[in-house]
Amino acid sequence: MHSPSEQNYIQQLSIDCVIFGYQDKQLKVLVPKLNFRGDFWALPGGFIDQNESIDEAAHRILESRTGIIDIYLEQFRVFGDTGRTNKPFLERLIELNEETLGANRFNQKEFEWVTRRFISIGYYALVDINKVIPQKHEIDESIGWYSIRQLPPMIMDHNEIVARALDTLRSNLDEKLIAFNLLPDTFTMREVQELYEAIFDKPFARNNFQKKILDMNVLERLEKKYTGAANKAPYLYRFVR
Amino acid sequence: MHSPSEQNYIQQLSIDCVIFGYQDKQLKVLVPKLNFRGDFWALPGGFIDQNESIDEAAHRILESRTGIIDIYLEQFRVFGDTGRTNKPFLERLIELNEETLGANRFNQKEFEWVTRRFISIGYYALVDINKVIPQKHEIDESIGWYSIRQLPPMIMDHNEIVARALDTLRSNLDEKLIAFNLLPDTFTMREVQELYEAIFDKPFARNNFQKKILDMNVLERLEKKYTGAANKAPYLYRFVR
């Protein structure tokens, strides 16, 4: 997986990234699948170098495992139960891949290092799927966007980490709407509503939704969108600079 | 301070607690002062035992350093810059207290353990100052409530940790209002407004404030408060169960 070493990395501390993607009115999550027998999916994760901040580590890990750079990535929660360990997963992986992996992949010291209890700092982001091209790491068989409704079963507590990231995304969406940069330069109220409906996985009443969004005082109303049918044309909006 | 040891604690990871207190329309923070020459203030903090979850660690540390138990304590942010280390503070403390502390207080291994780079998980709570009696730890000279406007200069980045905790408290106050258990069983709208004004350190317009709070749909209106002057008596409220 990595080359863990006491000298380089902080022990027993990891970072896991939940990258939400939005496309065609749907919310998805970016999940790599490890290139081993046994169907192992895991969030893009890794360790913290002694010489980098946790934010720097999160960006480096994300780039290394997904190819994604320059996005708004934010810590949201620490996962620190005593039972968090890679051990059952790694033992199963080694058992299934013995001929190719065997005891050579980890020496004993590395195996012990990586199978101790880990506390993990969760980071999350929300990106426009049309604007990023994920690239898999050499340890991965593939990397792909999975609907939030049909996530694969991931190792450890990674499905739970996604669930908590989704709670945070929902709680913070109003204030992060601009930072996430999910909407085009100008957009209709309907486009905003579709984004909210995808993230909250429920419909909103149009009038109430419009009022709520306008009350946030972050939108500026422009001319009507040209649709050919002037009467029903919706207004265009943009974010106040 | 503690008896750090590789065997017992997770390395390079700590917990710091920001305990906000509310009393007489004022917001305060609970800060112990270390019992050494040199005026060192530090948030109640400590390390994570290998056999406890981070939440368990936070409660244990808080009880040990302040005597406070059974409160709603929540993680809010990880502080993980590369420059975070106790070293300058501990060197200064040892220098100032050489005759009583000397080299005996830490052996070399312990000193190295405790002066490495630390990443700290911040926890926060908001309590009714009338309901808790802080008790100082033996390492502390005193423990006291300091106005948020006049905090003492604390070690490391602890003043910054308080500032970030205050941001979180403000962002989450609406949804945590019940959990924090700051108001009596029945209360007036004015009492809610005074609490918000203390936490946000600014006045709110009465009508707007009342509308905002009632729109949260968490309050149930009861009879008017008996004040002797029936006309001007304010309504009492309680939280919907």
Side-chain angles (χ1 to χ4, degrees), chain A residues 39-58:
Chain A
D39 292 340
F40 297 110
W41 287 269
L43 289 174
F47 308 123
I48 299 157
D49 192 279
Q50 290 289 358
N51 300 309
E52 67 188 352
S53 71
I54 54 173
D55 285 351
E56 288 165 351

Side-chain angles (χ1 to χ4, degrees), chain A residues 12 50 52 75 78 117, chain B residues 12 50 52 75 78 80 117:
Chain A
Q12 300 189 263
Q50 290 289 358
E52 67 188 352
Q75 54 157 284
V78 185
R117 169 188 175 191
Chain B
Q12 300 188 263
Q50 290 289 358
E52 66 188 352
Q75 54 158 285
V78 185
R117 170 188 175 191

